[in-house]
């Protein structure tokens, strides 16, 4: 009997280990191209108005403005006006498109909150530059403004720098010089080793070089705009003593404030028990298991737990977070605001992960535009 129980426990343990390994591998997987999993069901023309007909899903029925990306690199911006087409379809107004794009029924597209493809699409005058980092040359965009006040914009895991252009518009209106950066093992950044993400651990080193670039060119104060994992990177940088007095504010959209809780949330979203996320932690944080996961080293997950590290907060921070975020729990932002209300301001939106701007772009811009000048501009 004891032997049978021991065998059963071994099988369960092996299953748990396998699940943890699989989750850790999925989370840190090399960056891949978009998935085009949505089909255009039709394009309606009425006077000067066009509407795109899509399947009825939580994404396609969400309030706000979004983008459809096509397999050939084109894009189509969708407005907030919607019309039901029976129980299974919905039509959304088409407000903009890439040159030469002609959407038609049957085209495969990708739904996205990345609203602008390039700085020019966002009305920004940018130039291409390269930030030299330990991982190689990282492409970036620079938008000139006040040479002493800079904003550095950091995209999230699996995204691209284009996603941060939503925030660059506000920084530009406020007069900042902006750097829109990339980092190792992202879609646009240099590939290092196995190409796996270290969830902001080694990527932070690359973004730190962007801070150095800004300082060498006159930056006296810097605000970091971080999206999702980019917010986790921003928090790591702001905590470094050598940046005290230089990084004067953080603007964080859908921040990852604890990787353990974020992994649990993503497991729940995928239909797994949330507790399954805890099984991945050793495969990320314990060096022997991290090496088996094909990471370059262990990831110090405790450094990324800003609920536990709340007493260390020293930088004024604005958090913009969707109440329906299924990836980075909004509850953590609420806890952090409760613990550090002296430094943390929280604005919530009815939106999913990194879609607060899309759900209400004008309010997002007003929130940042009103808050940021109060931090350090005199």
């Amino acid at each position: 009997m004891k032997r049978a129980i021991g065998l059963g426990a071994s099988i369960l343990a092996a299953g748990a280990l396998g699940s943890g390994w699989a989750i850790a591998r999925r989370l840190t997987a090399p960056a891949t191209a978009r998935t085009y999993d949505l089909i255009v069901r039709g394009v309606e023309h009425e006077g000067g108005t066009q509407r795109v007909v899509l399947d009825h899903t939580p994404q396609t029925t969400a309030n706000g403005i979004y983008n459809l990306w096509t397999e050939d690199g084109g894009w189509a911006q969708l407005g907030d006006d919607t019309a039901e087409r029976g129980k299974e379809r919905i039509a959304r107004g088409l407000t903009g498109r890439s040159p030469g794009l002609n959407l038609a029924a049957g085209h495969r597209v990708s739904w996205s909150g990345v609203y602008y493809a390039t700085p020019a699409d966002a009305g920004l005058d940018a130039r291409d530059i390269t930030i030299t980092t330990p991982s190689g040359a990282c492409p970036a965009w620079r938008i000139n403004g006040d040479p002493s006040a800079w904003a550095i914009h950091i995209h999230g895991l699996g995204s691209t720098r284009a996603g941060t252009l939503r925030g660059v518009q506000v920084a530009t209106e406020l007069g900042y010089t902006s750097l829109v950066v990339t980092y190792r093992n992202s879609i646009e950044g240099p590939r290092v080793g196995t190409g796996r993400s270290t969830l902001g651990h080694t990527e932070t080193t690359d973004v730190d070089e962007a801070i150095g670039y800004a300082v060498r060119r006159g930056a006296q104060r810097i605000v970091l705009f971080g999206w999702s994992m980019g917010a986790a990177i921003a928090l790591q940088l702001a905590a470094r003593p050598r940046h005290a007095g230089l990084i004067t504010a953080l603007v964080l959209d859908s921040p990852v404030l604890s990787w353990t809780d974020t992994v649990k949330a993503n497991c729940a979203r995928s239909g797994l028990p949330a507790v399954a996320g805890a099984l991945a932690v050793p495969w990320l944080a314990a060096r022997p298991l991290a090496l088996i996961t094909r990471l370059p080293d262990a990831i110090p997950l405790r450094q990324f737990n800003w609920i536990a590290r709340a007493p260390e907060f020293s930088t004024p921070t604005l958090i913009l977070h969707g109440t329906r975020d299924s990836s980075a729990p909004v509850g953590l932002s609420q806890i952090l605001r409760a613990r550090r209300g002296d430094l943390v301001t929280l604005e919530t939106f009815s939106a999913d992960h990194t879609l607060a701007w899309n759900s209400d772009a004008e309010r997002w811009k007003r929130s940042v535009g009103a808050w940021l000048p109060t931090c350090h501009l005199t």
Side-chain angles (χ1 to χ4, degrees), residues 129-140 182-183 188-191:
I129 66 166
T130 298
I131 305 294
T132 302
T133 78
S135 66
C138 289
T182 57
Y183 45 77
E188 299 171 285
R191 183 182 175 97

Side-chain angles (χ1 to χ4, degrees), residues 10 16 23 27 61 73 78 86 91 121 133 192 201 205 222 225 255 274 295 301 312 315 334 354-355 359 365:
S10 297
I23 294 168
L27 180 65
T61 56
L78 302 180
D121 296 331
T133 78
V192 176
H201 177 43
T205 301
I222 294 174
F225 282 69
L295 293 170
L301 295 181
E312 300 176 37
T315 307
Q334 293 167 336
T354 67
L355 297 178
S359 71
K365 294 175 185 177

